[in-house]
Amino acid sequence: MKNIESIGYAVFFENSLAALQQFIDAGSYSQVIILVDRNTNDHCLPVLQAALPDLVDYDVIEVDPGEENKNIDFCIGVWNTMLDFGVDRKALMINLGGGVVTDMGGFAASTFKRGIDFVQVPTTLLAQVDASVGGKTGIDLGNLKNIIGTFTQPQAVFVSAEFLKTLDGRQLRSGFAEVIKHGLIFDRDLFALTKTVDEQQDALDAIVHRSVEIKNAVITQDPTEKGVRKILNFGHTIGHAVEGYSLEHDENPLLHGEAIAVGMICEAYLSHKVNGLTAEGLQEITDLFIAKYEPVALAPASYPDLIALMRNDKKNEQNKVGFALLSEIGKCDFDLYVSEDLILESLDYYNSLLQS
Ligand code: GLY
């Protein structure tokens, strides 16, 4: 699988952990910091250590896993530990983890002493196909997702299938939602493939690579999301609200991909209503998500909170809720605004599927 050139850096697939060793050897870094969470410390750091036997001199910073910890308090903890370790501006930070570690680690590195180099070593499917590529770094503020952050490109991204072996089915399915999204917004063939291949099969390597190719094709045109990059947010306006609400109210909150699977059904409904997606297209999308993901009842009592969360979404302008919507499977438009009534109708559409 060929490496992919992104915005001034490469996403490595071929012998990617050996490539990481070469990258470290070639840089004249004063020190190496590895950011992990408890899970990646236990399951992924040993894989990295085995693959990089020459990397002996490094410090590890560990944060608690889970989206609920991607906040300023944990970030302050990371910055303080960096100070304790005497990290200077010539240091390298390796973010070894899922989206929480790559987002928060990128943010901590991009702001510490006005920015130090960092690389992403994504260990979840979600981080491999989405979070680690494209230079979005950030943390949540309360239940508002990724509302604080920067666009800062990593020095490189190293994607290894080895880490996916450490994931359970729920984590894999969550990441797979972003793969399906890439098919829906850009590539009908990839979407068709996601119907026949599942997240546990060998074909996953090729699907991960195609997914990164698609993401990269979009972000290289528009690195700071002034235009076309917004199509990557398909399913995320409603999905982020569902995720934020779940984080606040549920003991076992939805994973990101589970929430955006709900968001993609609702936004496919909006796409049908206002952007030309056919009824057959809506049905095809609905059928796939309903078959793959656990149903999540959206209590009508939660609707006002969900709408309030959507109103705070980063993609809005002038207090209007902005959407990226499909015109057909494989094509997506952005900067579309729909009425609150129609958004509520899309939530009802989702709920109606659970009843039938
Ligand atoms: N996750 C969407 C983006 O990187 O733009």
Side-chain angles (χ1 to χ4, degrees):
M1 221 98 46
K2 274 179 65 180
N3 298 332
I4 294 176
E5 272 313 308
S6 191
I7 308 165
Y9 64 92
V11 183
F12 289 91
F13 290 86
E14 283 295 332
N15 298 319
S16 61
L17 296 182
L20 172 58
Q21 180 74 66
Q22 283 164 11
F23 174 89
I24 296 167
D25 292 346
S28 40
Y29 289 109
S30 56
Q31 79 199 88
V32 173
I33 308 292
I34 305 180
L35 182 70
V36 291
D37 66 23
R38 204 168 36 248
N39 296 330
T40 58
N41 194 24
D42 291 350
H43 303 294
C44 301
L45 191 53
V47 175
L48 194 76
Q49 286 161 330
L52 279 70
D54 294 343
L55 182 65
V56 283
D57 199 9
Y58 58 86
D59 292 301
V60 174
I61 302 178
E62 184 185 305
V63 292
D64 285 355
E67 186 71 32
E68 62 276 25
N69 300 310
K70 199 174 91 178
N71 57 37
I72 194 65
D73 298 321
F74 269 87
C75 203
I76 290 171
V78 173
W79 285 321
N80 275 325
T81 314
M82 289 164 86
L83 284 178
D84 290 344
F85 287 151
V87 171
D88 64 26
R89 291 172 95 173
K90 293 245 170 85
L92 173 71
M93 182 133 139
I94 299 175
N95 298 318
L96 178 69
V100 172
V101 167
T102 59
D103 281 7
M104 185 160 68
F107 180 67
S110 70
T111 47
F112 186 79
K113 297 190 176 176
R114 298 194 196 284
I116 65 167
D117 282 0
F118 66 95
V119 295
Q120 308 288 35
V121 185
T123 59
T124 62
L125 181 56
L126 187 103
Q128 294 194 348
V129 298
D130 186 22
S132 65
V133 178
K136 278 189 180 174
T137 80
I139 53 174
D140 304 336
L141 184 62
N143 55 7
L144 295 177
K145 292 262 310 159
N146 303 328
I147 203 90
I148 308 294
T150 64
F151 283 106
T152 310
Q153 303 302 331
Q155 300 302 305
V157 179
F158 302 91
V159 175
S160 168
E162 275 302 296
F163 296 120
L164 300 186
K165 296 179 189 152
T166 67
L167 301 177
D168 62 22
R170 190 178 171 205
Q171 283 284 347
L172 284 168
R173 242 180 337 272
S174 171
F176 207 67
E178 294 285 1
V179 175
I180 298 171
K181 179 196 79 180
H182 287 142
L184 284 173
I185 61 169
F186 203 87
D187 181 355
R188 201 188 210 295
D189 292 344
L190 176 62
F191 176 72
L193 203 57
T194 60
K195 291 195 209 173
T196 52
V197 166
D198 80 19
E199 58 281 356
Q200 316 245 19
Q201 293 174 358
D202 291 346
L204 198 56
D205 278 6
I207 286 183
V208 169
H209 191 267
R210 178 67 190 136
S211 227
V212 175
E213 259 177 3
I214 291 171
K215 174 147 192 193
N216 196 50
V218 176
I219 58 131
T220 46
Q221 287 177 64
D222 177 21
T224 54
E225 202 170 289
K226 300 284 189 289
V228 71
R229 183 169 180 163
K230 293 180 188 174
I231 67 172
L232 294 170
N233 296 319
F234 173 66
H236 283 62
T237 306
I238 294 177
H240 270 165
V242 170
E243 185 180 5
Y245 186 87
S246 173
L247 276 173
E248 201 162 271
H249 292 85
D250 297 339
E251 212 168 290
N252 181 16
L254 292 174
L255 299 178
H256 176 71
E258 295 169 333
I260 66 146
V262 177
M264 283 192 273
I265 293 179
C266 296
E267 295 184 23
Y269 179 84
L270 297 178
S271 301
H272 170 56
K273 287 287 171 179
V274 303
N275 205 38
L277 179 70
T278 60
E280 294 73 32
L282 171 62
Q283 194 60 51
E284 208 180 329
I285 296 167
T286 302
D287 288 347
L288 176 63
F289 284 117
I290 290 292
K292 255 191 189 306
Y293 292 87
E294 293 282 318
V296 181
L298 302 175
S302 70
Y303 286 9
D305 288 355
L306 293 175
I307 295 284
L309 285 166
M310 288 174 220
R311 290 208 173 284
N312 276 315
D313 193 271
K314 298 180 294 305
K315 299 177 288 299
N316 298 343
E317 281 174 23
Q318 296 169 357
N319 204 26
K320 289 183 294 185
V321 182
F323 287 91
L325 297 176
L326 306 175
S327 55
E328 59 184 81
I329 293 176
K331 288 211 174 99
C332 191
D333 300 307
F334 56 91
D335 283 348
L336 295 162
Y337 298 92
V338 302
S339 68
E340 195 173 305
D341 282 351
L342 200 54
I343 299 173
L344 293 173
E345 208 177 291
S346 77
L347 302 178
D348 282 344
Y349 169 73
Y350 177 78
N351 275 333
S352 75
L353 301 167
L354 308 187
Q355 280 146 25
S356 50

